[in-house]
């Protein structure tokens, strides 16, 4: 990574004859965010990115598990492509195909497998980090142990992930009809 970053900087600044950057194997700053040439800081950043990616994937799959049954079976089910109802309305396109029960079951099975594989990749990632980069593992554990015991941090993470998932649901709502909790039928809108 240091070589690529340095080569691009020298190329775009027209300083090709400048001395090449070398990676720094020592940890000169524990608070390094991985943007310098320090290898431990880079490893910390990559480990953090990997773990947040795993958490994000698992939350998205859990969101699918909880929201799609409501969209498929609740009051306004015929306005979503997850339903088998033939009166489905999707932005005026009568050729939209819907999910039959077998395909919906397959999507739920796939989601279960995806959650399991994401969880296992997180476990393997922690094992790999603990085995091959024990100092980085210890530093990250010291950094995140108090945070994951903090209700405020957990609430912040939950709300951050929930807002992204609600945005995805809003995209589905935009291309379908607005979903009303209190009414069995949305108001009819003339086009």
């Amino acid at each position: 990574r240091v070589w690529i970053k340095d080569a691009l900087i020298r190329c775009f600044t027209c300083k090709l004859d400048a001395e090449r950057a070398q990676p720094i194997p020592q940890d000169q700053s524990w608070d390094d965010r991985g943007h310098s040439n320090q290898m431990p800081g880079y490893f910390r950043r990559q480990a953090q990115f990997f773990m947040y990616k795993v958490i994000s994937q698992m939350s998205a799959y859990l969101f699918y598990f909880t929201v799609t049954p409501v969209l498929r079976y609740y009051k306004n089910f015929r306005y979503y492509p997850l339903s088998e109802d033939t009166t489905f309305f999707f932005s005026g396109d009568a050729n939209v195909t819907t999910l039959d029960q077998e395909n919906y079951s397959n999507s739920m099975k796939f989601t279960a497998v995806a959650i399991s594989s994401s969880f296992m990749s997180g476990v393997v990632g922690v094992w790999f980090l603990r085995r091959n980069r024990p100092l980085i593992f210890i530093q990250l554990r010291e950094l995140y142990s108090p945070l994951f015991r903090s209700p405020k941090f957990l609430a912040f993470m939950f709300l951050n992930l929930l807002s992204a998932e609600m945005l995805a649901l809003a995209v589905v709502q935009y291309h379908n009809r607005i979903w009303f909790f209190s009414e069995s039928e949305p108001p009819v809108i003339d086009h």
Side-chain angles (χ1 to χ4, degrees):
R1 180 188 94 69
V2 173
W3 177 85
I4 293 172
K5 179 180 170 184
D6 178 60
L8 290 174
I9 289 173
R10 289 186 304 115
C11 178
F12 287 117
T13 58
C14 298
K15 296 180 182 176
L16 297 175
D17 57 342
E19 185 178 340
R20 292 185 178 174
Q22 299 296 320
I24 303 169
Q26 299 85 12
D27 200 1
Q28 297 176 343
S29 172
W30 191 88
D31 197 33
D32 183 56
R33 302 287 187 223
H35 298 289
S36 69
N37 293 341
Q38 293 183 51
M39 291 171 55
Y42 176 73
F43 291 141
R44 275 193 299 272
R45 183 182 67 151
Q46 291 302 100
Q48 289 172 354
F49 175 75
F50 173 74
M51 293 312 294
Y52 280 127
K53 182 179 176 184
V54 168
I55 290 170
S56 177
Q57 286 175 344
M58 289 181 57
S59 71
Y61 292 133
L62 287 171
F63 188 75
Y64 181 82
F65 256 142
T66 57
V67 169
T68 58
V70 174
L71 295 179
R72 184 173 173 86
Y73 299 114
Y74 196 62
K75 292 179 180 179
N76 295 312
F77 63 91
R78 73 179 67 97
Y79 298 108
Y80 294 94
L82 299 168
S83 171
E84 288 184 275
D85 194 341
T86 56
T87 61
F88 174 74
F89 176 83
F90 186 79
S91 300
D93 188 0
N95 298 322
V96 174
T97 58
T98 59
L99 278 179
D100 59 5
Q101 185 59 40
E102 180 183 0
N103 285 330
Y104 181 70
S105 297
N106 288 340
S107 77
M108 295 301 269
K109 290 173 190 174
F110 172 80
T111 304
V113 170
I115 287 175
S116 303
S117 65
S118 291
F119 178 77
M120 289 308 298
S121 69
V123 169
V124 169
V126 169
W127 172 81
F128 179 82
L129 189 63
R130 191 175 199 170
R131 183 171 182 259
N132 294 326
R133 304 275 182 221
L135 182 61
I136 304 297
F137 176 78
I138 291 168
Q139 290 172 343
L140 290 177
R141 186 179 63 197
E142 288 174 3
L143 176 67
Y144 284 105
S145 290
L147 288 176
F148 280 109
R149 283 188 236 120
S150 166
K152 289 180 182 178
F153 179 75
L154 293 175
F156 173 74
M157 278 188 58
F158 174 76
L159 289 175
N160 191 7
L161 292 169
L162 183 64
S163 67
E165 290 155 355
M166 294 306 286
L167 178 63
L169 184 60
V171 169
V172 172
Q173 299 286 8
Y174 177 75
H175 290 291
N176 295 282
R177 293 206 179 174
I178 296 174
W179 183 30
F180 295 90
F181 280 104
S182 61
E183 301 176 16
S184 62
E185 294 292 326
V188 177
I189 300 171
D190 294 327
H191 292 293

